[in-house]
Amino acid sequence: MERTSGDVGSLESSLLQIVHDHQQRSSGIRERTDKAKKDALRTAVRVSELLVDSVNGGVEEVFINEKRIELEIRALITTIVRYKKQMNQWLAASHAMNSVLKEIGDFENWMKIMDFDCKNINTAIRNIYQL
């Protein structure tokens, strides 16, 4: 089987055509791969941004709620301190009233004893005067 120069030229041109087609297909595949890689990267960046925004939104809301709670706690502490002072004043006033009531009771008891003693002295003086 001898090949003629026409066959060799045809074979060479066929091989060149195959190489050229292969390079074009490789180039097309490479372009599609690069495009897909860029799209995947863009999508991954977008997904990560959305995830970060989602997490940060929750964290921000928690932080705001924490600050509100802290303010409420401070307000409650102030109110508790004020009520504690007021309660201590009421306790002091009620203790003072108790003391006054005891003194009034003691005075009333003393008056009854004095009245009884005066009546006894009066009776004794009348008895002595009648003798």
Side-chain angles (χ1 to χ4, degrees), residues 64-98:
I64 289 170
N65 287 339
E66 181 183 8
K67 290 297 178 187
R68 286 180 185 159
I69 289 170
E70 286 176 2
L71 289 174
E72 287 294 324
I73 288 171
R74 287 187 193 127
L76 285 174
I77 288 172
T78 302
T79 303
I80 289 170
V81 168
R82 188 176 70 238
Y83 283 146
K84 183 179 177 186
K85 287 179 184 177
Q86 188 177 14
M87 182 189 67
N88 287 336
Q89 291 172 347
W90 279 99
L91 278 172
S94 67
H95 182 68
M97 283 178 56
N98 265 350

Side-chain angles (χ1 to χ4, degrees), residues 30-31 35 41 43 54-55 57 83-84 90-91 116 118:
R30 202 174 307 116
E31 287 174 6
K35 185 180 180 220
L41 187 60
T43 303
S54 174
V55 170
Y83 283 146
K84 183 179 177 186
W90 279 99
L91 278 172
F116 181 74
C118 287

Side-chain angles (χ1 to χ4, degrees), residues 21-34:
D21 289 346
H22 173 70
Q23 287 175 346
Q24 282 184 339
R25 273 188 254 126
S26 294
S27 176
I29 291 172
R30 202 174 307 116
E31 287 174 6
R32 285 193 302 270
T33 303
D34 287 344

